[in-house]
């Protein structure tokens, strides 16, 4: 059997969580951590996480031929990561980077009932991941290269993100569309004191689709407002002026498409009005799909029974990228993205709720209800079914799609 060539390559952050099962609660953490005490636990649950695992496996479940490119060491945890990935499909391990000099990234999750969780985290190979780790021959021919979580990958944010900019520039030179997701930098770590506005200014000229969450973006571009919104001094409800101003900056820095994830309030999508910029956005925009120029849209989440939101952002991105591969308009892509995001929260793990693409489409066609709008939009209009809201600045060629 010949395998379909990968249409999307997902590279970047990858780790394994090791979660011992606690049969009974403990009275306090101090008891658990008493020196010399033996704490008996049950079997460990092993699950992979990070952008490569979450977005990569979500794309695989949607039926997209995908290549996973995370870095692991030649060690026990690296073997565990490869085993988990192999469990989905042997071919998914083909692009993985195994570096004998690296230590695989892992997190011990100490989660006894009744007390707060403790994480013991080793960044390992994620911190040493550099541009030279990506074999461009394994990227050539793909339509999209998606990279996730530079804020928790040390070499990617040092020196104003030069390494990341170089990687994305090289990928773009192959004619491949580039896509980037972020993560929240830990304010108390080295990443928390990086000048993220400089990193973004350096990197975004090489990014076609920039898909962070609004919170992460405010942390990076407007720390006073981020702090005020987190502490409740400013209203936490995002409004259209804020979304427009933030996406103005990101488009001016060089991105062609900006998607801002709004947690349980849904998704905002803005695209460049500049036809030449969109035509330079690589293979996924060639030929230029209808309905992607000069868009500004918001959609709430689809209704879902929430069993766990881990990986919801990553799955939303998988939905958006898959929609783009199907040549749909931005108005349909924002629906497809939030459909896959909502399906993902219906299972407790990161990707178990992600359906096949055809199933997601059938659920949409059957009239899947949206949650009420929880974004303050001044002067915006909704389509008939009130599923997608269009800004006054939304001026697609040939009318709304
Ligand atoms: N309660 C919910 N019901 C339906 N869909 C949801 C819900 N919560 C989140 N989503 C979907 O998941 C996306 C996740 O957005 P969020 O802002 O949490 O991204 P993120 O911070 O990148 O998440 P992650 O923790 O996965 O990195 C939303 O845009 C939406 O599509
Ligand atoms: Mg995220």
């Amino acid at each position: 059997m010949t395998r379909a060539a990968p249409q999307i390559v997902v590279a970047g952050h990858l780790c394994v969580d090791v979660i011992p099962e606690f049969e009974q609660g403990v009275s306090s953490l101090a008891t658990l951590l008493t020196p010399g005490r033996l704490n008996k636990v049950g079997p460990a649950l092993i699950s992979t996480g990070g952008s490569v695992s979450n977005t990569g496996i979500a794309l695989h479940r949607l039926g997209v031929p995908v290549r996973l490119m995370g870095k692991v060491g030649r060690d026990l945890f690296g073997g565990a990561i490869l085993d988990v990935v192999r469990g989905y499909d042997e071919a998914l391990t083909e692009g993985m980077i195994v570096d004998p000099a690296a230590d695989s990234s892992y997190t011990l999750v100490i989660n006894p009932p009744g007390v707060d969780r403790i994480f013991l985290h080793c960044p390992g190979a994620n911190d040493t991941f550099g541009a030279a780790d990506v074999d461009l021959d394994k990227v050539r021919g793909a339509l999209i290269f998606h990279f996730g979580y530079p804020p928790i990958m040390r070499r990617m944010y040092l020196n104003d993100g030069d390494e990341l900019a170089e990687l994305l520039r090289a990928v773009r030179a192959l004619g491949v569309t580039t896509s980037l997701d972020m993560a929240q930098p830990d304010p108390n770590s080295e990443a928390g004191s990086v000048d993220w506005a400089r990193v973004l200014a350096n990197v975004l000229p090489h990014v076609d689709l920039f898909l962070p969450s609004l919170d992460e973006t405010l942390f990076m571009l407007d720390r006073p407002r981020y702090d005020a919104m987190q502490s409740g001094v400013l209203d936490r409800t995002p409004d259209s002026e804020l979304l427009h101003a933030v996406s103005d900056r990101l488009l001016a820095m060089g991105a062609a498409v900006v998607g801002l994830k709004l947690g349980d309030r849904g998704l905002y999508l803005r695209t460049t009005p500049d036809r030449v910029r969109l035509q330079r956005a690589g293979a996924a925009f060639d030929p230029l799909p209808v309905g992607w120029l000069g868009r500004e849209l918001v959609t709430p989440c689809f209704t879902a029974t929430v069993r766990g939101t881990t990986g919801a952002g990553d799955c939303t991105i998988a939905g958006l990228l898959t929609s783009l591969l199907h040549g749909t308009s931005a108005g349909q892509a924002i629906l497809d993205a939030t459909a896959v995001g909502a399906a993902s929260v219906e299972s407790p793990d990161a990707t178990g709720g992600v359906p096949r693409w055809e199933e997601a489409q059938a659920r949409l066609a059957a009239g899947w209800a949206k949650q009420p709008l929880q974004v303050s939009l001044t002067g915006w209009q909704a389509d008939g079914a009130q599923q997608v809201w269009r800004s006054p600045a939304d001026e697609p060629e040939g009318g709304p799609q």
Side-chain angles (χ1 to χ4, degrees):
M1 191 183 97
T2 52
R3 288 187 189 281
Q7 294 187 323
I8 301 186
V9 176
V10 183
H13 193 269
L14 176 65
C15 60
V16 61
D17 289 343
V18 180
I19 314 165
E21 181 188 75
F22 279 79
E23 275 143 15
Q24 57 229 18
V26 292
S27 51
S28 72
L29 273 182
T31 315
L32 188 74
L33 299 176
T34 308
R37 179 184 154 103
L38 179 81
N39 296 290
K40 201 164 157 229
V41 294
L45 178 73
I46 307 279
S47 76
T48 53
S51 176
V52 169
S53 168
N54 295 351
T55 301
I57 290 169
L59 286 164
H60 176 72
R61 293 181 70 98
L62 288 166
V64 175
V66 61
R67 174 162 279 166
L68 271 53
M69 221 175 252
K71 181 162 132 175
V72 298
R74 206 182 285 288
D75 50 23
L76 200 63
F77 287 138
I81 291 174
L82 295 177
D83 275 353
V84 171
V85 171
R86 197 172 287 121
Y88 289 91
D89 188 334
E90 176 77 40
L92 287 177
T93 60
E94 283 169 11
M96 295 284 285
I97 304 154
V98 181
D99 176 356
D103 302 308
S104 301
S105 176
Y106 70 92
T107 306
L108 287 184
V109 183
I110 316 293
N111 190 18
V115 294
D116 266 355
R117 282 186 295 184
I118 308 179
F119 300 99
L120 302 176
H121 175 64
C122 166
N126 291 312
D127 269 355
T128 65
F129 195 120
D133 281 314
V134 172
D135 178 353
L136 292 174
D137 284 337
K138 291 185 174 172
V139 178
R140 201 184 309 275
L143 298 175
I144 300 174
F145 177 84
H146 177 71
F147 193 92
Y149 301 0
I152 45 176
M153 301 182 72
R154 188 163 189 266
R155 281 185 69 189
M156 292 292 159
Y157 62 71
L158 290 181
N159 305 318
D160 295 336
D162 278 348
E163 194 85 15
L164 180 59
E166 169 52 27
L167 170 62
L168 294 169
R169 190 204 56 74
V171 168
R172 178 72 103 28
L174 302 173
V176 178
T177 298
T178 55
S179 166
L180 181 66
D181 187 16
M182 300 307 266
Q184 179 80 44
D186 175 355
N188 303 313
S189 71
E190 178 186 57
S193 56
V194 162
D195 185 341
W196 284 101
R198 284 177 68 108
V199 174
L200 291 179
N202 196 11
V203 165
L204 290 189
H206 312 291
V207 173
D208 299 310
L209 298 127
F210 185 49
L211 306 169
S213 75
L214 175 64
D215 285 349
E216 290 153 6
T217 309
L218 288 177
F219 181 95
M220 294 182 190
L221 292 183
D222 190 347
R223 193 67 193 275
R225 181 186 283 269
Y226 171 84
D227 290 337
M229 282 175 81
Q230 293 298 313
S231 65
V233 172
L234 277 179
D235 191 353
R236 281 195 57 103
T237 311
D239 62 55
S240 44
E241 288 72 23
L242 175 65
L243 293 165
H244 193 83
V246 168
S247 58
D248 263 350
R249 282 183 73 183
L250 298 170
L251 291 177
M253 284 174 171
V257 174
V258 173
L260 298 175
K261 288 164 284 169
L262 309 176
D264 60 7
R265 298 164 195 266
L267 182 62
Y268 168 86
L269 190 64
R270 174 107 184 261
T271 70
T272 177
D274 178 354
R275 172 178 287 273
V276 175
R277 172 66 186 90
L278 206 59
Q279 277 169 335
R280 279 198 297 109
F285 289 92
D286 182 17
L288 214 54
V290 175
W292 280 85
L293 260 188
R295 306 308 308 267
E296 187 174 25
L297 307 167
V298 160
T299 196
C301 292
F302 283 101
T303 54
T305 308
V306 180
R307 295 188 62 214
T309 57
T310 305
D314 305 304
C315 293
T316 301
I317 289 174
L320 186 79
L321 300 182
T322 306
S323 193
L324 185 57
L325 290 184
H326 281 82
T328 58
S329 67
Q332 182 61 40
I334 197 173
L335 288 174
D336 290 335
T338 46
V340 176
S344 82
V345 305
E346 291 178 332
S347 87
D349 63 344
T351 57
V354 174
R356 290 217 35 105
W357 183 249
E358 297 71 24
E359 273 175 57
Q361 293 300 308
R363 199 167 164 188
L364 281 171
W368 191 351
K370 281 274 180 184
Q371 295 180 25
L373 182 68
Q374 295 177 70
V375 184
S376 171
L377 303 174
T378 308
W380 290 46
Q381 289 186 332
D383 61 5
Q386 303 236 321
Q387 296 208 326
V388 179
W389 291 76
R390 297 179 47 221
S391 94
D394 181 62
E395 285 174 352
E397 294 167 278
Q401 14 240 325

